[in-house]
Amino acid sequence: MCDLMTQQDLPSNGTLPQNLERLHLILVTLYSINLAGGIAGVIVMARQLFQRNIQSMTPIIIINLMVVHSILLLSLPFRLTYYISSEWKFGWFTCKMFSAMIYTHMYITFIFYVAIIIIRLLRLEFQRWYTKTWITAVWFVGTLVIFPIFLSYYGTSKNYNHSKCFQFHRDIQEQGMMIANYCMIGIIVATVSALSIIQLVIIFQLAMKYWPDMNSHVEFRAQIKSFFFILVILVCFIPHHVFRIYYNQNFPPEDDHNLFLYNEIFLAITALCCLDMLCFIAGIAH
C-alpha cells in the first residue's frame, strides 16, 4: 500500500537508462489517458446529471464517484510533470499528500462500486436520509481514517531524497503497513470473488428464465450492467493487489528501479477507473 518509485542512482546528466525510460513512458501514457478521459467523463456526466431530477440511490453514488475522481484528477498533472522531468518540485508534504490520495481514491471508489453492486443484486431502495448518512460515513472513513494513515506513515524514514517523489518503499517494511497490506488484499480479493460468483449465478439464472429474449427484460439488463463494476474492479484494482503480494515477498534492493516502477504502473492502472464516467455516458453501466 505504498506509492513506490526511486531514482536515486540516475546518471549525473539526468538521463534515464533505456529500460527506465520505457517504463516512464508507460506511466506518462497511462496517466495522460486517465487525465484526459477522466476530465471528459466528469464534465459530460455532470451536465447530464444536473439536467435530471435525481431521486434514486445509484445516481447519488455516481455523483460521489465524480467527486472522488475529480479530486484524484487534480493530482495527475503533478505526477505527469514528475515522470517527465524526473524531479519533484512541489514540496515534500505535497508529495506525501498525492501519494496518500491515490490510495484513498482507490478504496473509496471500491466501496462505492460494491455498494452499487449490492443495491442492484438485492434490489434495495433506501430513503434519501439513509443514503446520505452512509455515503457521509464512507467519506468520513476515507478522509479521516484512510488518508491520515497513509499520510502519517509516508516519509517516516529520514533517508529520502526530497527532490524525488513516490519513493516511500522503506516505509512498507513497517510491521503495521505489512499487516495492513495483507488485510486489504484479503478483503478486496474475497469481496470481489464472492460478488463475482453471486453475480454470474444470477445472470445465468435470468438467462435461463428469459431465454431467448433475455435482452428485452429490464431485470436481465440491469444485472449485466452491474457486472460492469465487477469487471472494473477486476481490471483496475485486482492486478495491483495481486502484485503487492509478490512485492511484499520480494522486497527490492535500493538499486532495483524496475520493480519500483512496475508497482507504480500497477498503481497507475487503478486510476483507469476514472474512465467509468465515459461508460456511464455510453449507457454501459447506468
Side-chain angles (χ1 to χ4, degrees), residues 24 64 67 82 111 126 143 180 187 194 201 211 230 284:
H24 271 226
N64 282 270
V67 174
Y82 174 64
I111 293 172
F126 297 112
T143 57
I187 291 172
V201 169
W211 181 269
I230 294 178
I284 296 175

Side-chain angles (χ1 to χ4, degrees), residues 14-275:
T15 60
L16 291 170
Q18 186 175 3
N19 61 324
L20 296 185
E21 186 175 358
R22 183 170 59 253
L23 295 176
H24 271 226
L25 179 60
I26 294 173
L27 284 166
V28 170
T29 301
L30 283 172
Y31 280 122
S32 296
I33 294 172
N34 292 335
L35 184 61
I39 291 175
V42 167
I43 292 175
V44 177
M45 193 66 190
R47 291 186 59 185
Q48 290 189 4
L49 288 175
F50 289 150
Q51 294 172 356
R52 301 179 184 179
N53 182 18
I54 299 172
Q55 297 294 335
S56 63
M57 193 170 184
T58 299
I60 294 175
I61 297 177
I62 291 175
I63 291 174
N64 282 270
L65 279 172
M66 288 171 49
V67 174
V68 72
H69 288 344
S70 298
I71 294 173
L72 177 67
L73 292 172
L74 291 174
S75 72
L76 296 190
F78 296 91
R79 286 180 173 269
L80 283 169
T81 301
Y82 174 64
Y83 297 136
I84 292 172
S85 66
S86 299
E87 182 179 2
W88 184 256
K89 305 176 182 178
F90 307 106
W92 187 237
F93 178 79
T94 307
C95 173
K96 293 174 60 176
M97 182 178 67
F98 289 154
S99 298
M101 187 181 295
I102 194 167
Y103 278 102
T104 305
H105 166 267
M106 176 171 59
Y107 292 124
I108 291 179
T109 301
F110 174 78
I111 293 172
F112 283 141
Y113 282 169
V114 171
I116 293 175
I117 295 168
I118 292 176
I119 288 168
R120 291 184 174 181
L121 281 175
L122 302 180
R123 304 177 191 176
L124 299 176
E125 290 292 339
F126 297 112
Q127 294 182 2
R128 196 176 184 87
W129 69 267
Y130 184 85
T131 301
K132 291 182 178 180
T133 299
W134 81 260
I135 288 178
T136 301
V138 172
W139 280 104
F140 178 86
V141 171
T143 57
L144 298 181
V145 178
I146 298 176
F147 184 79
I149 287 176
F150 282 110
L151 202 61
S152 62
Y153 265 97
Y154 282 151
T156 55
S157 172
K158 298 181 180 179
N159 299 320
Y160 288 124
N161 181 352
H162 287 201
S163 67
K164 304 300 176 184
C165 191
F166 315 130
Q167 57 177 11
F168 302 112
H169 48 282
R170 299 181 187 90
D171 301 325
I172 196 176
Q173 299 177 79
E174 296 288 337
Q175 184 178 7
M177 289 300 288
M178 291 291 287
I179 294 174
N181 260 280
Y182 286 117
C183 287
M184 292 307 301
I185 291 169
I187 291 172
I188 288 180
V189 171
T191 301
V192 175
S193 299
L195 289 176
S196 298
I197 294 172
I198 295 171
Q199 186 74 74
L200 288 173
V201 169
I202 291 176
I203 290 174
F204 177 77
Q205 290 176 341
L206 291 175
M208 296 298 294
K209 179 180 179 180
Y210 296 123
W211 181 269
D213 299 322
M214 60 273 194
N215 288 327
S216 62
H217 292 269
V218 175
E219 184 181 4
F220 179 80
R221 294 199 304 270
Q223 295 303 325
I224 290 294
K225 290 181 178 181
S226 292
F227 193 67
F228 162 81
F229 296 100
I230 294 178
L231 290 178
V232 173
I233 295 173
L234 290 173
V235 172
C236 296
F237 298 161
I238 294 300
H240 170 72
H241 286 83
V242 171
F243 179 79
R244 296 301 295 174
I245 298 174
Y246 173 81
Y247 186 89
N248 289 343
Q249 295 177 350
N250 300 272
F251 192 81
E254 288 297 317
D255 58 351
D256 189 355
H257 302 296
N258 287 343
L259 194 55
F260 294 136
L261 289 174
Y262 289 144
N263 180 80
E264 185 67 14
I265 288 172
F266 281 110
L267 190 60
I269 291 173
T270 68
L272 286 173
C273 67
C274 291
L275 304 180

